[in-house]
Structure formats: structure tokens, C-alpha cells
Amino acid sequence: MTPTAKPASAALQRDEMGGTTCPPLFIQLNQLLSTAAGLEWREKARWIKFEEKVEEDGERWSMPHVPVLCLHSLFQLRTCLQEGMVLLDLEALSFKEIIDKALSGQPEEAELQPELKVQLAALLLRQPRHQPSTALLQRLAQLSTSPCRGRAEGGSEPRAQLSATPLKEQLRNQFQKKIPPGAEAAHVAVGEVEFLEKPFAAFIRLRRGVALGSLAEVALPSRFLFILLGPHAKGNMYHEVGRAMATLLTDELFQRVAWQAEHREDLVTGMEAFLDELAVLPPGKWDPSAHIPPPSCVPSPHRRTTMHPPDWQSQHNGDMAAAADRAGLGCLDSREELERTGRLFGGLLRDIRRKMPWYRSDFSDALHPQCLSAVLYIYLVTVTNAITFGGMLGEATANMQGVLESFLGTAFAGSIFCLFAGQPLTILSSTGPVLVFERLLFSFSQDHGLDYLEFRLWIGLWVAFFGLVLVATEASHLVRYFTRFTEEGFCALISLIFIHDALKKMWHLADTFPINWQYRLDDITSYSCICNLSSLGHSSAGNDTQLPSSMAPWQPPAALAGLSRTQCLGQGGHLLGTSCHYVPDITLVSFLLFGGTFLSCAALKRFRSSRYFPVGVRNLVSDFAIILAILTSCAVDATLGLETPKLLVPSELKPTNPVRGWIVLPFGANPWWICLVSAVPAVLVTILIFMDQQITAVILNRREYKLQKGAGFHLDLLCVSLLMVVTSATGLPWYVSATVISLAHMESLRKESTTSAPGEHPEFLGIREQRLTGLAVFILTGLSVFMAPVLKHIPMPVLYGVFLHMGVAALNSIQLTERVCLLLMPAKHQPDLPYLQHVPLRRVHLFTITQLLCLALLWALKSTTAALLFPVMLLALVGIRRGLERVFSPRDLSWLDSLLPAAAPREAAAGRPRRQAAESGAEEDVGDARARRSAPGALRRGGRA
């Protein structure tokens, strides 16, 4: 770029250093058209982020699209800025005053004749005809009231004067909702007039935003105006120059220049910077009538202004510097929550001081309808999880811990955790690894004649003690070494456990409710089932049901008529007949409910980005997607009326096993030395609890979630350790963070911008951080014992479908799944992912295969008798990740993973000399440096186009 770029670059620097932001602009293009009634201003296009233009029929707006400009129109616009009138910081209170000052401020060599000024002022002050933005219901109402009328009449007469106050149409315009708060208006007016011999061009910036009456279709204060009128020109030149000016004003970098420009040269320089980044589409290689859809993401202004020169060496250096920056961002060592204080319980005290100021807002921030949806969704998931793991615990421990204990423990531990933990969005639950340890512990106790609950109590007390030691010594500092490699391996394992358990439960339905493959319609007369009380024998009924009355044959007199299957078996009888094994389509319907719930959850969650219905309806459906899917499936099940397996919760508050009580005594059943020996298995449980809790905490506190209230790694571990004492003393299950359910909780509380410009995707604002949703979930879980009459109408296959959706959603949220798909995808069909642009494909596949092997090893350890080594294997993942530094370069790891704390400073130091060289050049000539850095942006933008 030429030296004239310095003022624009200086303006950008002042904007960045001053911390000021330019308000968003709504830009409207009015064109002067010749009609039967005379000349008339008509709205032809509008911009916020992308362009919308009035279609040729004049009835509707086009879809938002990326504006495609004629290169010649940009050169014409530059000429207008160089030779036309430029008025900066004009003081005016009305549009008439603006026009008068613009016409009177012309230089002598270009000044118009007085009569031409009068004609031009009268023409500019005419009321423009705005294109209405009507809602669907309004269009239907207009069609019903005037079905035979052509285009709806509206607007004003062509020669009507501009109103000084907004019109009713402006105030009722629904498009106002799409405009970001604090936005201002920019007006572009172009057209052809016969009384001018040469073009009249003016660019005006007002000192302060002024309401210009009915000039724009929405009532906004105006800041910029661009006027271009002239004699008849070739083609549609004035319209294209107006589009170029409007597109230029939508560019964030040019907006900063236009706001801070002091002279005409600043505007021209800003446009030169815009042209430097321009990408040209060759003619004949694309359809000019086709609209380019808006991209899902665009580079930020800061990234556009910090590009490196387009030579190969500099580009390589820039990649290394970017890798170092990624390493610094990805490394958890920079997190204030994980910095060591060097004092006992120093990290815990700092967590408490960090979370205390937010405690009141943790409850007030939950006053939003979205939180109600999250409570219902996570409640049903938590209840299903409590029943599932409670049932498996009952099978593994001879009902020493069952469904009721699971309900009470979940309610108590979860409520306490949500009230006092550092990250209350975490959902506590019994997890698969803990269940495996409970099963092994019970088997060991049975084999050696030990009391299981007493042995378990001492293990829990030791685990709590070790946890306190870890909190006191700030062991959570080691979380820095949990990179994406470890997080994804653990998250993938838990997600696969959810998917596996959901499919396994459904598969077992075929055993409980077998499909009668031998049933033949032609043999219906030979089918019978009777209750025989004459001799007690083996009942072959199992879990089968009686034939419907329409299929039941005549019963012999020896059978007791009117007895149901339950009554017959209750009186000691047994069922005889060929139809006693018949089950009417329960397995088939259960699988249909299961698959239908899963697909409905996925489809309704994506409804937010649908093209149908207003945005408010789409957001509401997406927020309540899981609840709507469950209610729909329950309605289908109720309509069919089949006896599908239902959600059954305990209805009495008494231990599942009557042998045990609610308090576990520490001595009496086992030898005294058990309290000391218990420390050995407690070490393994401590490793398991620490890894499970802290990996989940790292995943939930990722930077991409934009959490504002900070984490509390030490405080969370303290809460889990103290809860181990209570749950062990009462014989309740042990609880730790549930990765998949916690991720689902976070996903259900996503915040997005309520107003988004047409074509712009809603901006992710973060997570609704509060304590009330989790607290309400666990309170409802405890009250579920009293809600059994309502919950018994929910089919279990429906809840298993929700489990499957949660597992799949969590699996799709990690990069590992994306890279596994690349293994099966030809190179020419692979998406344009960032790490594929910087890391060789074979290295990406090697990293993926390494992760898959570790995942397979974790699954094998979990599923075999070697499950005691599972906690050690979780620690080994960190060691394996450290060993990968000998196989992969730091640059590759910075793109595929994140650098470990010891490697990040080295990589940053390697990239620092290159960055310092570029920065030194920037200090000598800031404008030239910014010009050089803009060149790679043009190459990248051209490649995407």
C-alpha cells in the first residue's frame, strides 16, 4: 500500500488503543426512478451485515447474500471520494438543513447555478417509497382482504415532501427487531436527472446522530449520507456505485476509518485498504444472478489487520507464531484458577473468594424460561440414570445399594454440590468406572467373608482424607496437563458407555418381551392358554402375557375362568397352552419409540436454524426440544395402549435390602485392621475420583463456553471429598461429575444473541451460569418417590432414546469424531478444516489412531477383571500424551491438541523472534506494515470464494 495508508492505519490503532467501538450501521439505498407520475425515490436495497435487495417484481425482499460488486463501480466510487464533496462532522438537525449546507458548501469551480440548487434540493427532499417488511400473518390478511388486487398500494405520492417525524409504517416495521441495539442509519441516494450536466457527489458524516424523519424505513438516528446524482449514464452505473458505497460502509475496518477520518485522504486511504483485500471472480466462471449465501463465520477485524506478508518464508513464520499463540491460549497454565499460591489450602481460599461475589446472581440469573426447559430435561435424564445405575448396583451388591439408595444419594449429594461447589453446572451421578469398582469390591468382600458396607465405609473415609490432602496441596494444579488428548479420550469413553447401555437395554427387551416368530394367523384356532391349579409345577409363563380376548379359545371346565395371569401365578397355579408365550408387538413398538425419540430430539434441537416459523417460535421449540420429544413419544405410546415397560420408581422410604440399616457402623463386623488395609484400595478410588472429577471440570470450563464466573477446581474436589464421608456412612452410592449429563446441562443453557442481522448466524454469548437448575433437578429427584403415579406413564424406551441422543451429542462435540470420519473420507471430499491446512494428513491419521488405541484399551480395562487398573490407565493417558512430543512436532501438536505447560514456553520463545522482527518493522512504518499484513487476507478470501 502507498504511504497514504498511514492515516487509515493510525485511525485503526487509535480505535484499538482507545477501546471505542463503532455502532452497527443500517444502510439503505434509495434510487431515483422515473414513473408515470414523475420522478420518485424508491428503496432498492438494504444492508446490515449482508445485502438484501428488492426483487424485480417489487413485492418481496431477496434472501440475504454476500454482495458482488462490479470492479468498475469501485473505481468510480473512489473518483467520487477524491473529487466530490466531503463534509465531516457536519452540524445539522434536519435533512433540509443538511441539503442546504451541502449545496452551499460547494467549491467555486464546481458550484451549481442557483436554479439548479433549488431543483436539486426539492428533488432530494421528496418522500421515498419504502419497501414494506410485512410478517406472514399480515401478508395473509392482506391477501384475504384484497385477493383480486395486484401490488398493494402504499407509500406516498411521488411529489410528497419528506416528513420530519417518523411515519406509522416506520414505527410498526417488524424489521426493527433485526437491527442490533444502538445502531445508526446510513443513507445512499443515487439516480439520473436531466437538468444536471455533470455528476453531483457528496459524502457527509454528521457530528452526532440525528433523526431524519421518514427518510429510512426504520426510525434510527442517521450518521452517514452519500448522494450521487448526474446525467444519463451508461447502463446502471449510479446504482452500482451506490451499492459499492453501501457495501464499503458494511466493512468494519472502513467503518472505523469513516468514523475517525479527518480529511478526504483518510477516506480514500480506507478504500484503498478495502481494495487491497478484494477478491475478483472471473467472468464466465459463475452465475451473476446467483446469490452467494452468507458464510457461517468470517475473520475478525483484528485478524484481518494482523496478517503477514504473502511470501513463503513469512507465511511459515506466521504459522509458527500462530501455533505459539494457540499454545498459549490452549494451555491451562495461564488460567488464574490453576496458579499455585504456595500455601496450604491457598487455591481453595482463592476459589471461595472468586465465587462469593457471584453467589446471589447464581440464583437471580436462573429467572428465565430456558432454565425451566433445562430442569425438566435434566430431571428426566437424572431419574433414568438413577434407576439404571441403581438397578445395576443392586445386581452387583445383592441389593445392599439399590434404586432407592440411588435416588436418595443423587438428591442429597447433588443438592449439596449445587449449593456450595465452584462449578454448579456440574451434575453428580454414579458413573460406569465407579460401578465397576463397586462390583469388584463386593465380590472381594464376599470371597473373604467381610462386611461389604463396613469395608466400603473405611475406603470412603480414606478417599475423603486423601481428597483433603489433594485440596490442601493444590494438586488441582496438575489439571494443566490434561490436554485435548486426555479430555477427548475420557469424554469418548463415557459417551460410548451411554450409547452402549442404551442399546443394551433395548436389546434386552427382546428377551423380556420375546417376539413370537412361530405365530401363524392360519393356526389361530389351535392357540390356547389356561390356568391350571390342579398340580403345582414349573410355570412356563415367565414374563409373558395372556392372549387378547379376541384370540383366546374356549377354555375347558377344569380351568378357572376369569383369572388373569397375575392372579393365576399368585394362587400357585401355572399357565398351560400354546399361546402363553405370545407378546403383542411390545418389542417392535419399544424400538419405534426408542428410535423416534432419538430422531425427534436431534431434529427439534436443530430447529433453531430452520427456515420455518418466526425466530421466537424456533428458539422456543429448540429450547424445549427434549421435553417435546418425550411428550410426543408418551402420547404415541398412550394412544397405542400396549404394555410397554414403564418408568417405575420406589414408593417407600426403606432400604432395598432389609438386612441393612441407614447408618453403617465403622466397627463390629470386620477385623480392626480393615480400617488400615482399606487405605490401599482407597488410593485407586482417589485416583479415579480425581481424574473423573477434574477431567469433567476441565471439559466444562473450556474457553469456548465463554464462562464469566470462573471455575473452582479446588472447591469442587473438596465438595466431592466431603460427600464421600456422608454417602459412605449411610451406605449410599459414591458420586462424581457425570461428563455426558453435565455437557447436556451446559448445552441446554446456551445463550445466543436475540437480534441478528439478516443472513447472520446468532452469536453464541455463553452459558446461563446459575445454581438453581441443578438444585431444582436434584430436589425433584428426591421427590420422585412421591411422584410415582405420574412417572409410571413414561415408557423406558423413550428415556433410553434420550440417553442415546446425549451420548451421540457428546461424541459429536469432540474433535476425535471429526478426525475418525477423515479416516474413511477421500482427500478430495474432506472439509476445509484448520488443522488440515497446517498438519500433513498422515500425521493427523497417526494422531487419531493413537487416540483410538488408547480408547480401546480403556474400554477393555473397564470391561474385564483388570478394571482395578482403570484409574492407573487414566493417569497413563497423560504420560502417553507426553510421549507423543517425541513423535509429533510442537507445531503439529498445537493444531491437533494443545501444548503441555513445559512445551508452551519453548514454542512461544521460538515464535517470539519472528514476531519481534515483524513488530519492529511495524514500529518503523505502521501503515506499510498493516498494508503488508493485509495481503495474505486477500489470498485467503479469494481461495474461499
Side-chain angles (χ1 to χ4, degrees):
M1 188 180 294
T2 62
T4 57
K6 294 180 180 179
S9 299
L12 294 177
Q13 279 190 329
R14 288 197 304 270
D15 186 63
E16 292 176 358
M17 295 177 62
T20 59
T21 57
C22 302
L25 285 179
F26 165 73
I27 307 161
Q28 178 174 323
L29 171 62
N30 293 335
Q31 186 173 358
L32 189 64
L33 300 177
S34 179
T35 64
L39 295 177
E40 179 185 36
W41 291 103
R42 284 188 183 177
E43 183 180 8
K44 299 296 292 183
R46 65 188 181 190
W47 291 256
I48 299 180
K49 294 289 187 180
F50 302 97
E51 181 182 14
E52 293 177 277
K53 65 179 183 180
V54 180
E55 299 288 11
E56 293 183 1
D57 59 1
E59 290 286 343
R60 61 184 293 270
W61 287 102
S62 69
M63 293 292 295
H65 56 274
V66 178
V68 178
L69 303 176
C70 174
L71 189 61
H72 185 67
S73 67
L74 289 168
F75 295 148
Q76 292 288 340
L77 176 61
R78 182 172 57 183
T79 302
C80 292
L81 293 177
Q82 291 173 340
E83 302 178 0
M85 181 184 301
V86 175
L87 299 177
L88 301 176
D89 292 336
L90 182 67
E91 288 281 3
L93 298 178
S94 66
F95 189 54
K96 184 180 185 304
E97 185 178 356
I98 294 173
I99 298 302
D100 291 340
K101 289 186 177 182
L103 293 178
S104 61
Q106 288 183 293
E108 294 182 2
E109 62 273 10
E111 188 173 3
L112 297 175
Q113 297 296 326
E115 60 273 10
L116 294 181
K117 290 183 180 181
V118 174
Q119 287 182 309
L120 191 58
L123 186 63
L124 290 171
L125 291 175
R126 290 185 183 180
Q127 171 65 42
R129 184 189 295 271
H130 302 302
Q131 177 67 21
S133 300
T134 55
L136 175 62
L137 295 179
Q138 293 178 345
R139 291 198 296 268
L140 293 176
Q142 292 175 0
L143 183 62
S144 62
T145 55
S146 56
C148 300
R149 189 182 304 174
R151 180 180 174 182
E153 307 226 350
S156 59
E157 294 296 329
R159 296 185 181 274
Q161 291 295 308
L162 186 72
S163 173
T165 58
L167 303 177
K168 294 181 179 180
E169 291 77 9
Q170 291 176 277
L171 301 176
R172 294 182 300 188
N173 195 339
Q174 296 296 320
F175 187 73
Q176 184 83 35
K177 299 178 181 179
K178 292 290 185 180
I179 300 177
E184 295 180 339
H187 306 274
V188 178
V190 298
E192 299 176 346
V193 291
E194 297 180 352
F195 57 82
L196 289 179
E197 297 180 356
K198 57 182 180 180
F200 170 80
F203 178 87
I204 303 171
R205 184 186 70 200
L206 301 178
R207 179 177 294 276
R208 59 181 59 87
V210 177
L212 299 182
S214 59
L215 185 60
E217 68 165 299
V218 289
L220 291 174
S222 300
R223 178 70 64 170
F224 297 99
L225 295 97
F226 177 75
I227 302 171
L228 177 59
L229 295 174
H232 290 287
K234 181 180 178 181
N236 205 14
M237 186 195 72
Y238 294 118
H239 177 76
E240 292 301 322
V241 173
R243 290 184 61 246
M245 184 73 249
T247 303
L248 195 62
L249 286 173
T250 61
D251 185 75
E252 295 185 23
L253 296 183
F254 183 81
Q255 279 185 24
R256 297 181 184 181
V257 175
W259 263 85
Q260 300 182 10
E262 299 176 356
H263 308 284
R264 177 195 309 269
E265 291 76 13
D266 296 340
L267 295 174
V268 176
T269 300
M271 184 173 180
E272 292 286 351
F274 178 84
L275 292 174
D276 285 346
E277 290 191 81
L278 193 66
V280 179
L281 295 174
K285 303 300 182 182
W286 66 291
D287 183 8
S289 63
H291 293 162
I292 302 177
S296 58
C297 60
V298 293
S300 64
H302 176 74
R303 181 180 175 186
R304 288 170 54 192
T305 57
T306 54
M307 294 296 185
H308 291 265
D311 55 274
W312 288 103
Q313 182 65 29
S314 297
Q315 184 175 352
H316 175 71
N317 294 347
D319 290 342
M320 292 296 293
D325 293 339
R326 287 171 55 84
L329 289 175
C331 179
L332 286 173
D333 189 36
S334 60
R335 296 191 63 131
E336 186 265 341
E337 299 95 332
L338 297 175
E339 293 179 358
R340 297 183 67 94
T341 63
R343 303 186 303 271
L344 284 179
F345 296 101
L348 174 64
L349 296 177
R350 190 165 52 187
D351 283 352
I352 295 175
R353 287 194 297 267
R354 184 188 311 111
K355 301 300 293 187
M356 279 298 294
W358 299 101
Y359 198 78
R360 177 176 297 179
S361 66
D362 284 343
F363 294 92
S364 60
D365 291 347
L367 303 179
H368 191 276
Q370 187 183 23
C371 294
L372 175 62
S373 168
V375 168
L376 297 177
Y377 169 32
I378 302 301
Y379 163 66
L380 291 176
V381 170
T382 303
V383 167
T384 306
N385 187 70
I387 291 176
T388 302
F389 280 96
M392 290 188 289
L393 271 174
E395 296 174 1
T397 63
N399 286 329
M400 287 297 180
Q401 297 180 76
V403 176
L404 180 63
E405 288 79 7
S406 180
F407 267 81
L408 296 180
T410 301
F412 172 77
S415 300
I416 297 299
F417 189 87
C418 287
L419 283 174
F420 302 106
Q423 181 49 272
L425 296 175
T426 304
I427 300 296
L428 294 190
S429 172
S430 296
T431 60
V434 174
L435 174 64
V436 171
F437 184 86
E438 294 274 17
R439 181 183 294 112
L440 295 175
L441 179 62
F442 182 79
S443 300
F444 180 84
S445 301
Q446 293 294 104
D447 295 340
H448 295 81
L450 300 175
D451 184 81
Y452 161 69
L453 291 179
E454 185 179 315
F455 190 18
R456 181 178 177 273
L457 168 63
W458 281 108
I459 294 177
L461 294 177
W462 278 110
V463 171
F465 172 74
F466 292 148
L468 290 176
V469 172
L470 293 176
V471 173
T473 57
E474 299 179 300
S476 296
H477 181 66
L478 300 175
V479 169
R480 301 176 305 148
Y481 295 92
F482 296 168
T483 64
R484 183 191 296 271
F485 180 87
T486 306
E487 296 171 25
E488 289 187 342
F490 185 77
C491 184
L493 175 69
I494 303 301
S495 301
L496 290 176
I497 290 176
F498 264 71
I499 296 173
H500 173 266
D501 288 346
L503 296 175
K504 182 180 178 181
K505 288 291 184 179
M506 290 303 301
W507 184 257
H508 286 171
L509 284 179
D511 298 331
T512 306
F513 304 97
I515 299 176
N516 188 10
W517 301 104
Q518 292 75 30
Y519 176 80
R520 298 293 182 271
L521 184 61
D522 191 54
D523 299 335
I524 190 173
T525 56
S526 62
Y527 295 151
S528 64
C529 184
I530 61 175
C531 176
N532 190 352
L533 297 176
S534 58
S535 61
L536 299 178
H538 175 69
S539 173
S540 61
N543 291 320
D544 308 320
T545 60
Q546 188 179 2
L547 270 175
S549 58
S550 59
M551 297 178 54
W554 173 81
Q555 297 181 356
L560 293 179
L563 288 182
S564 65
R565 169 182 174 274
T566 304
Q567 293 172 340
C568 177
L569 298 178
Q571 296 184 19
H574 60 279
L575 303 178
L576 298 177
T578 56
S579 63
C580 294
H581 293 274
Y582 177 78
V583 179
D585 302 325
I586 289 181
T587 299
L588 175 62
V589 172
S590 296
F591 271 95
L592 291 177
L593 293 174
F594 173 73
T597 303
F598 168 70
L599 296 177
S600 299
C601 290
L604 293 177
K605 266 296 181 184
R606 292 195 299 266
F607 195 71
R608 189 187 302 271
S609 58
S610 171
R611 296 177 181 268
Y612 303 100
F613 298 101
V615 62
V617 176
R618 296 200 304 267
N619 291 338
L620 186 65
V621 171
S622 181
D623 290 340
F624 288 84
I626 310 301
I627 303 303
L628 291 176
I630 293 175
L631 293 178
T632 302
S633 299
C634 291
V636 172
D637 176 75
T639 303
L640 295 177
L642 295 178
E643 296 180 357
T644 52
K646 298 298 192 295
L647 176 63
L648 299 179
V649 299
S651 57
E652 297 180 355
L653 291 174
K654 62 180 182 179
T656 306
N657 192 326
V659 176
R660 56 155 293 181
W662 285 117
I663 300 298
V664 180
L665 300 178
F667 297 101
N670 292 332
W672 66 268
W673 46 264
I674 289 294
C675 64
L676 303 178
V677 176
S678 302
V680 177
V683 173
L684 294 176
V685 179
T686 302
I687 297 174
L688 176 62
I689 296 295
F690 179 82
M691 296 294 292
D692 198 338
Q693 173 65 36
Q694 301 297 53
I695 291 177
T696 303
V698 169
I699 294 174
L700 297 184
N701 289 282
R702 287 173 177 168
R703 295 185 184 275
E704 51 262 37
Y705 286 125
K706 299 182 180 180
L707 300 180
Q708 302 297 321
K709 299 182 179 181
F713 294 94
H714 310 279
L715 184 57
D716 290 347
L717 185 59
L718 175 68
C719 291
V720 172
S721 300
L722 295 180
L723 286 173
M724 289 288 292
V725 177
V726 181
T727 53
S728 300
T730 55
L732 301 178
W734 290 332
Y735 292 95
V736 74
S737 297
T739 307
V740 174
I741 302 180
S742 299
L743 285 175
H745 190 206
M746 297 271 284
E747 185 67 25
S748 65
L749 294 170
R750 288 172 60 93
K751 294 190 298 183
E752 293 183 343
S753 56
T754 55
T755 59
S756 57
E760 183 186 23
H761 295 273
E763 180 185 0
F764 173 64
L765 302 178
I767 304 297
R768 207 171 297 280
E769 301 175 65
Q770 34 73 46
R771 299 178 182 270
L772 200 55
T773 54
L775 183 63
V777 164
F778 292 116
I779 291 176
L780 288 176
T781 302
L783 297 177
S784 297
V785 177
F786 308 102
M787 294 189 293
V790 177
L791 297 176
K792 69 179 182 180
H793 297 289
I794 303 177
M796 289 301 296
V798 173
L799 299 179
Y800 294 148
V802 175
F803 262 48
L804 180 64
H805 167 71
M806 291 170 50
V808 172
L811 202 59
N812 289 334
S813 67
I814 59 178
Q815 190 193 85
L816 174 62
T817 306
E818 190 178 69
R819 287 187 275 106
V820 169
C821 294
L822 294 178
L823 293 172
L824 310 175
M825 194 180 300
K828 64 179 180 180
H829 296 302
Q830 292 175 353
D832 191 19
L833 299 171
Y835 53 83
L836 291 180
Q837 300 174 5
H838 300 274
V839 183
L841 185 60
R842 65 180 184 279
R843 310 290 289 175
V844 175
H845 289 340
L846 178 60
F847 189 83
T848 304
I849 292 173
T850 304
Q851 275 190 290
L852 290 178
L853 291 177
C854 293
L855 178 60
L857 184 57
L858 285 175
W859 186 273
L861 286 176
K862 178 194 75 69
S863 306
T864 61
T865 54
L868 279 176
L869 299 178
F870 182 82
V872 180
M873 183 57 196
L874 287 178
L875 279 178
L877 287 179
V878 180
I880 294 173
R881 168 59 183 83
R882 185 64 179 265
L884 290 179
E885 293 184 350
R886 299 180 178 273
V887 181
F888 297 89
S889 67
R891 178 176 178 272
D892 293 345
L893 290 175
S894 68
W895 285 102
L896 295 174
D897 193 13
S898 55
L899 298 181
L900 292 173
R906 295 197 301 267
E907 182 62 16
R912 191 178 299 116
R914 303 182 180 94
R915 291 197 298 273
Q916 288 176 350
E919 291 170 0
S920 62
E923 292 174 359
E924 296 174 0
D925 191 347
V926 175
D928 291 343
R930 288 189 181 272
R932 289 194 300 270
R933 285 196 292 268
S934 66
L939 294 177
R940 293 189 178 100
R941 287 173 66 174
R944 283 196 295 271

